[in-house]
Each structure stands twice: as C-alpha cells, then as structure tokens.
Amino acid sequence: MPSGSLTVSNLSKSHGPVVMLDRVSLTVGPGDRVGIVGPNGVGKSTLLRIIAGLDEPDGGSVQRRPPEATVGYLPQEADIRAGETLLEALARRTGVTAADAALQASATALAEGAPGADERYAADLERYLSLGGPDLHARAAEVCEDLGLPASRLDVELAALSGGQLARA
C-alpha cells in the first residue's frame, strides 16, 4: 500500500494575461486515484507539471509527504534529445540522472570536507537509492521486454525508434 500523500494549496499560474490556475487546492492520499478532465487549454498539463516540480507556480504550494517523494510526469509528446539513448532518457525521466549528479557533487563536497557535506551526501544517496539508480539498467531491460522493446536496444538513440516504439518507450 502506498504511503505518500500530496497536498496542493491555493495554486495559481498565469501565462501572460491568461490565468490558467486560480487558487487550486487538492489533496491526494495514499491509494487515491485522481482524474483531471477538461477542455484543451484550461490548465490540466500546467497543473500536472507544477505538481511534478517541472514548473513553478505564481502562488501557492505543493507539499509531498514524505518530502523526498517523487511525482512523475508523462508528457503528451515524446521528449527527444539529440543523441540520447533509450536508457539515458529513462534515467533522465525517472530522476536517476539528476539524483546521480547530486550524489556525485555531494561526494566531492564530502571529500573536500565541506561543512554539512555528510548530511547532504546521506540525503543524496538515499534519494538515488530510492529512485532505483543502482538497478535501473536491469529494471529498464525487464520493462522494455514486457512492452515489446528488445532489452538489447537500451543503447539505441531515441531518434532511431519507430513512432510506436517511441510511444512505448
């Protein structure tokens, strides 16, 4: 049973003169399922991007419990970056790449004896481990096989995948 929760309080966001979100509040508890529906352009994706931490609100707050909980966001269109492999994209999209970079930076700070580096390293290591960094390759291979993407293709560039393969990726 999931143990995390999410609280959105008085969220506001505008794009220029257009108000997309006006004091939106939402609570999602453990095991809850939420659907967000509405016509195009009313702010559904904006709300989800803010909840996932990809965009900043103009006002209000998003609280995750526990604070290190991760909220994933799957965009409607594929996010292809030049030269990026399937495994690299999965690492980036799951937060493993950012967690690994933070872990490396805190390891350097720890080696240099920076104040507070030990606490930062411990937190960064916990985040990296909780995101599944050490076994990402094995898990990605298994999921790719389940989705009909050969696990041997984790090193293929995203641009080389067919439209259907890219959608599954």
Side-chain angles (χ1 to χ4, degrees), residues 103 106 109-110 114-127:
L103 181 60
S106 62
L110 185 63
D118 51 345
E119 291 91 7
R120 186 73 240 158
Y121 179 82
D124 289 342
L125 177 61
E126 179 62 32
R127 177 127 177 98

Side-chain angles (χ1 to χ4, degrees), residues 30-116:
D32 287 353
R33 294 174 187 250
V34 177
I36 301 174
V37 296
N40 289 341
V42 298
K44 301 179 301 288
S45 294
T46 299
L47 174 62
L48 294 173
R49 287 183 57 81
I50 292 171
I51 289 172
L54 300 173
D55 291 339
E56 290 294 320
D58 295 335
S61 65
V62 176
Q63 292 182 322
R64 296 173 194 85
R65 290 183 198 86
E68 63 275 2
T70 300
V71 175
Y73 173 75
L74 181 62
Q76 295 175 41
E77 290 85 28
D79 181 14
I80 300 174
R81 296 188 179 175
E84 188 174 55
T85 67
L86 176 55
L87 184 60
E88 291 167 342
L90 292 172
R92 177 177 50 83
R93 296 293 306 277
T94 58
V96 169
T97 299
D100 184 48
L103 181 60
Q104 297 307 317
S106 62
T108 299
L110 185 63
E112 294 171 352

